[in-house]
Each structure stands twice: as C-alpha cells, then as structure tokens.
Amino acid sequence: MKLLLSLLLTVASLSAFAQQTIKISGRVTDFNDKPISNCTVMLMDGRFNAIDSVVTDSVGFYLMNDIKPGKYMALTAIKWDEYVRFSKLPEQDRRLEFWAWNIIADKDLTINPRYHRLELYGTTAFCPTGTNALMVYTRPMSATEAMKYDEKLYRDNNNGVIDYSVKLEDFQVQAFIDDKEVKIRHIENMTEQYGNQKMGAFILMLDYNVRHDDRFVHKIRITAENVKYHERGENICFFQNSDCR
C-alpha cells in the first residue's frame, strides 16, 4: 500500500511538473497557403533577446517546447535569405517579417504566421475608459520602399531608422478578434517620432462590446495590403479584456 501511494504521488508530481511549461506551435505560409520551409521563428523578451528559436520543416511546421508560462514581447517569423536588407534574391522575391505582439502564454498556443512584403510592426491594443471600442496601433512598412535605401543609408541615417511606411490612401485593412471579422469604425493616420526620424503609422478604432464580453484574453489579427505595390501583410497581438474593466 505504501509503495502504491508513493508511486501515485510520484506520478502526480511528474504531472504537475509537466504543466509548468507550455508549447507554442503553428505553420508558416505565404498568402497563397504555400508552406515556408527553413523559416526562423523566434520568441523574444522585452529587450529583443531570443527566448527560443526554431526552424520550420518542409511543410512549414514549427514547435517550441518547454516554454515557461508568462508574457513575452513578440514572436517573429522570417526566412533570412528572403529578408529585404540581407537578401541576394531578385527584388520581387524579398520579404519583410511577420510579428505577433504581447504574447500571453498561459496555455499551449497555436500561432500561424503569414508574411509577404508588408510588415505590420509594433501592433498593440488598448481600450479607452468608458467606450465599447478597441483602439489598435500598427505601423505598416513596405518592402518596396525599404529597398530604395542602400546599406550606407541604413548605417548613416540615425542607426538605420528610415521611413518606409504606407500612405493612408494605399492602406487597405481588415481586423479580426478571435478570428471573427469586426468593423473598423475609423482609421487615423499619425506620425511616430523615433530619434530624428518621422514614420507613418495608424490608429484603428474597432467595434468591441466590452460590457458583454466575458472572455479574458483575445487574439487580435490585422490583415492589410499596400495597394500601391500589391504588398500584403498580417500580424496578431494579444489583449487582456480585464484592461477595460
């Protein structure tokens, strides 16, 4: 009996230990659902340090094991030989990366990155007090615009920060909360200041019924196109509903 009890306690202890880590997994594709193999997927902390880094297999699948539950600044995906600033590929085959922001990793997560030539950077969500709207900030950046600057300009111009954002008239965008499309009430063009550089960005006002929504964590997905160059991009950010209460 004592041996059986000891075994049961050991199993329970191992089970509890197993629950102390989570998995983040998914599939990386382009916008035609073509898998991207040998793509680097990184989970990063608030200082852009890599917590984990893995490479996708032949069908675009990746898996991060043994991730400590918590909050992480971002998850990014890019195949480095496609990346605009380093690529030797023809210009039409160069890409900018996918980002997921404010990762709330309290359970196993599935994140399926899609990327092309429009990068949506720094996406974050906040809820103004007393409203039923969710505000989302994002800064779209164009691969075509980025390629207008050579490496010397990147080095010499304020540590490489150059404005290759998208004009409002060229920005077509959709918003989803937990994979359900929501209405965008308003889009406001703004200018972000970084050192001596000014970069274009947007604030989106989304329909969001705070008072009747009892779920705690939401996944917000922004899908956009720069119609001037037919560049597409997508990212996600996580949002805690308790921030609105």
Side-chain angles (χ1 to χ4, degrees):
M1 184 65 181
K2 288 183 179 180
L3 178 60
L4 177 60
L5 181 59
S6 177
L7 288 173
L8 290 174
L9 289 173
T10 299
V11 170
S13 177
L14 290 173
S15 177
F17 178 78
Q19 297 302 313
Q20 291 177 4
T21 62
I22 66 160
K23 298 177 182 179
I24 301 177
S25 62
R27 184 170 173 262
V28 184
T29 68
D30 63 15
F31 279 79
N32 294 314
D33 201 35
K34 178 182 177 181
I36 301 176
S37 61
N38 297 314
C39 175
T40 299
V41 182
M42 287 191 294
L43 182 68
M44 294 181 287
D45 65 16
R47 295 185 177 181
F48 289 94
N49 296 316
I51 301 300
D52 199 358
S53 179
V54 296
V55 176
T56 57
D57 64 15
S58 61
V59 294
F61 180 78
Y62 74 92
L63 171 64
M64 293 179 178
N65 279 310
D66 301 324
I67 300 299
K68 184 179 178 180
K71 293 184 179 181
Y72 298 92
M73 182 187 71
L75 179 143
T76 186
I78 186 69
K79 189 173 183 175
W80 286 114
D81 63 0
E82 296 178 336
Y83 185 57
V84 164
R85 286 182 57 188
F86 310 133
S87 182
K88 305 299 183 183
L89 296 173
E91 289 191 357
Q92 68 270 18
D93 295 326
R94 301 180 191 181
R95 304 287 183 258
L96 287 170
E97 63 261 51
F98 166 92
W99 290 88
W101 297 95
N102 189 34
I103 307 297
I104 301 174
D106 57 353
K107 59 183 177 181
D108 289 352
L109 292 178
T110 300
I111 297 177
N112 296 315
R114 293 196 299 173
Y115 70 86
H116 182 235
R117 291 168 58 83
L118 182 66
E119 177 183 336
L120 301 174
Y121 187 80
T123 303
T124 189
F126 59 96
C127 184
T129 302
T131 72
N132 281 333
L134 191 67
M135 311 298 287
V136 176
Y137 163 91
T138 193
R139 188 211 309 161
M141 297 189 287
S142 161
T144 305
E145 294 291 340
M147 284 186 287
K148 293 180 180 179
Y149 304 102
D150 63 22
E151 286 301 313
K152 185 176 186 302
L153 279 174
Y154 275 112
R155 291 193 303 270
D156 296 346
N157 197 323
N158 193 37
N159 296 320
V161 179
I162 297 174
D163 186 7
Y164 40 93
S165 55
V166 179
K167 304 299 183 185
L168 178 59
E169 60 267 26
D170 298 323
F171 190 55
Q172 290 189 354
V173 60
Q174 294 174 285
F176 302 81
I177 298 178
D178 300 326
D179 296 321
K180 180 180 179 180
E181 187 170 7
V182 296
K183 181 180 178 180
I184 301 175
R185 294 186 186 179
H186 181 67
I187 302 178
E188 186 72 24
N189 203 178
M190 61 171 291
T191 300
E192 178 183 338
Q193 189 82 27
Y194 188 93
N196 296 322
Q197 293 295 321
K198 295 181 178 180
M199 297 171 284
F202 298 96
I203 293 286
L204 314 178
M205 178 182 284
L206 311 184
D207 264 338
Y208 180 73
N209 195 334
V210 177
R211 296 184 180 88
H212 299 95
D213 193 342
D214 58 359
R215 282 203 278 181
F216 182 60
V217 176
H218 298 286
K219 182 178 71 175
I220 300 164
R221 176 163 53 95
I222 304 297
T223 301
E225 181 179 1
N226 177 10
V227 297
K228 182 177 181 179
Y229 300 122
H230 304 291
E231 300 170 322
R232 301 183 71 182
E234 182 173 89
N235 72 1
I236 66 173
C237 70
F238 289 85
F239 173 75
Q240 287 186 303
N241 188 52
S242 60
D243 294 341
C244 286
R245 298 185 185 278

